[in-house]
Amino acid sequence: MSEPRAPIRVVLPAHLRTLARVDGEVRLDVAGQVTQGAVLDALEARYPMLRGTIRDQRSGKRRAFVRFFACQQDLSHEPPEAPLPDAVTTGAEPYLIVGAMAGG
C-alpha cells in the first residue's frame, strides 16, 4: 500500500486568487501521476470559476499570457502529460502559474 502523497502546492497570480477567492497558495490532492494537466484539472474542478482563464476550454492549450514554472524551470512549453518534478509532487516546491507581461 502506498503512502498518501502530500498535497500539491499551487501559486496563482493575484487576479486569479481574487477570482477564486483564495489567499496565498492553493493545496490540491491530485490522483495518479502528477502532471501539469492533472494539476490544472484538479484546480479547475475545485475552483470552476477558473475554467477558461488558464487554458482554453476547447483546445486545452495554455493561454498566451500564462506561464508555468516549477523548481526555477519554465514548464510552459512542456506537454500537459509531462510529469512534474519530484519536489513538486512531494510538496517541497510549489507549482507556479504566472501571468506573463507584454509590452514595448
Side-chain angles (χ1 to χ4, degrees):
M1 188 173 198
S2 64
E3 289 184 33
R5 185 176 23 225
I8 305 303
R9 298 166 45 210
V10 179
V11 176
L12 297 169
H15 69 286
L16 294 183
R17 284 195 312 269
T18 299
L19 183 62
R21 296 186 177 114
V22 296
D23 276 332
E25 64 186 28
V26 173
R27 293 179 182 260
L28 300 171
D29 292 318
V30 177
Q33 187 175 29
V34 180
T35 64
Q36 290 195 92
V39 169
L40 294 176
D41 289 345
L43 183 67
E44 291 174 347
R46 186 161 168 198
Y47 301 100
M49 69 285 287
L50 296 179
R51 287 188 188 132
T53 62
I54 298 168
R55 56 186 176 172
D56 182 87
Q57 283 188 288
R58 289 192 178 170
S59 70
K61 293 186 180 189
R62 170 183 61 87
R63 294 258 178 221
F65 292 103
V66 175
R67 307 292 289 203
F68 306 129
F69 293 89
C71 303
Q72 300 178 0
Q73 297 176 11
D74 185 347
L75 304 177
S76 303
H77 298 290
E78 294 292 319
E81 63 277 1
L84 289 174
D86 288 342
V88 173
T89 64
T90 62
E93 292 286 330
Y95 178 69
L96 302 151
I97 300 173
V98 178
M101 299 292 287

